[in-house]
Amino acid sequence: MVIGKSPSLPGPASPTGPAETARPADATGPADAAARARSLHARPDAYLGLPAVLVAPYAPGSGRAARREALRPVYAAVAAELGEPTLYGASAAGPSVRWHTGAHVVLLAGGPQGATLSVHTASDLYGREYSAVESGSIGWRAEDPHGFDTLPYLWLLHRGPERGWPAFRWDGHHTAASWEHLESALALLLDSWMEQLPVQVPGEWASFVVGCARDWPRHLRVGCGQDGGQLSLMVDHRTTAEEPGFEDSMRERGWQVRERGWWRAEFADEDPEAARSAARLLVADVRARGSVRPDELVAWELTVNDRGRLWLPGIGMPVN
């Protein structure tokens, strides 16, 4: 589907005139966003260095649902114009979706006022992002801010063929310096999933498994599904000896239901504290099972609908 270009949308700046440093007009609405994306994709060199254009604005203080619905039609229009992204993903500020065009990247990114579109030289963009994540300001010391909210992306999903693998990316994982930092990192990641998955990959689910070095036979599964729009946590207690007060202690920790040896808790999309509550339960559970530091945990089976490759730089723990 090709959406016509709005006549009000500015073209590339003159290489000699003062317009080259002027901020382009916003391109709000799906049609303008698609037209801008088409221009950036077709003639990236003409737009390099220009400020990002706001394409999906939302009011200050907007909640998860309002931001999601502001982005949804704009993202659909851009994806219809450019095709499947090279990389799906998001930062704490919103989407971080990339369409690679050889040496360039068209970037749909979140910001304080909403989502923006811009184009970058791939090596420059990923060089800046690599410098940011390797700066030592993330997950370094417990007495400092956790820094996970400054990552250029909390998660990335690649679904293209291996031969289309992006040449520039940072796919490591920072380990949180404290339990408080881990709780913050997980809350950011899970909140991002609840906001972004219904827009970027409608109808799909994401999950990962967490194991504890000091209680290895049992593992905890974290899932974010779109059936009812909720987070779910499950922990395996099929072989756990039930001492007196065991069930009460599990419920006090935050677990809700036990089925066939698995304890489960669910957190609804309508609850603005859903991600924070889920992160708090995960941390409380692994600590109750003897873990003393976040680096004793490990995550694996990172997946979105069992298709593609998923990175979680913002997960806050080692990844296998």
Side-chain angles (χ1 to χ4, degrees):
M1 182 176 77
V2 176
I3 301 175
K5 182 175 181 178
S6 167
S8 63
L9 196 66
S14 165
T16 58
E20 65 180 351
T21 58
R23 188 191 186 285
D26 295 342
T28 56
D32 280 355
R36 185 69 180 188
R38 181 170 65 247
S39 297
L40 298 178
H41 191 273
R43 294 181 293 155
D45 286 323
Y47 295 89
L48 286 174
L50 289 182
V53 170
L54 184 66
V55 293
Y58 44 72
S62 296
R64 181 195 310 124
R67 295 191 302 267
R68 185 171 58 213
E69 295 314 308
L71 178 63
R72 191 191 300 271
V74 169
Y75 175 82
V78 172
E81 181 65 49
L82 301 185
E84 184 177 15
T86 310
L87 290 166
Y88 301 86
S91 69
S96 186
V97 186
R98 296 118 192 276
W99 288 265
H100 286 66
T101 63
H104 299 96
V105 178
V106 176
L107 177 67
L108 178 66
Q113 295 179 301
T116 64
L117 272 172
S118 57
V119 68
H120 308 266
T121 302
S123 57
D124 290 346
L125 174 65
Y126 288 110
R128 291 194 301 271
E129 292 184 337
Y130 184 84
S131 295
V133 298
E134 288 293 299
S135 65
S137 62
I138 301 164
W140 188 248
R141 297 190 301 179
E143 60 269 26
D144 293 335
H146 59 78
F148 286 93
D149 53 345
T150 68
L151 282 169
Y153 39 85
L154 299 170
W155 60 275
L156 287 178
L157 173 66
H158 182 267
R159 283 184 161 170
E162 290 290 332
R163 64 181 178 274
W165 203 257
F168 302 97
R169 69 191 190 284
W170 178 83
D171 55 359
H173 301 86
H174 283 292
T175 299
S178 69
W179 293 118
E180 292 75 18
H181 284 191
L182 178 60
E183 185 177 309
S184 295
L186 289 168
L188 288 170
L189 173 64
L190 297 177
D191 197 64
S192 174
W193 275 3
M194 296 180 81
E195 181 176 326
Q196 294 297 323
L197 291 178
V199 174
Q200 298 187 33
V201 284
E204 300 192 11
W205 49 267
S207 69
F208 58 89
V209 173
V210 177
C212 309
R214 297 174 186 261
D215 189 24
W216 193 252
R218 280 171 289 284
H219 60 266
L220 189 152
R221 182 174 294 275
V222 180
C224 182
Q226 297 181 44
D227 183 10
Q230 63 187 15
L231 286 171
S232 64
L233 269 63
M234 297 176 63
V235 65
D236 185 1
H237 274 265
R238 289 172 293 181
T239 61
T240 301
E242 295 193 13
E243 300 176 355
F246 168 78
E247 182 167 339
D248 289 343
S249 68
M250 291 293 286
R251 294 190 184 280
E252 288 172 5
R253 201 176 300 167
W255 296 105
Q256 299 165 1
V257 178
R258 187 182 188 187
E259 294 178 346
R260 296 185 294 277
W262 287 79
W263 282 87
R264 188 179 76 249
E266 296 180 345
F267 307 88
D269 180 70
E270 294 79 9
D271 178 5
E273 293 296 312
R276 174 66 66 180
S277 298
R280 187 179 301 119
L281 172 56
L282 189 153
V283 170
D285 191 78
V286 297
R287 294 186 71 179
R289 289 193 276 145
S291 298
V292 298
R293 299 187 310 272
D295 63 5
E296 294 183 338
L297 308 179
V298 63
W300 71 94
E301 292 186 14
L302 285 55
T303 184
V304 176
N305 239 54
D306 289 337
R307 187 163 75 88
R309 183 171 179 181
L310 175 67
W311 296 284
L312 300 181
I315 197 172
M317 66 183 77
V319 172
N320 185 351

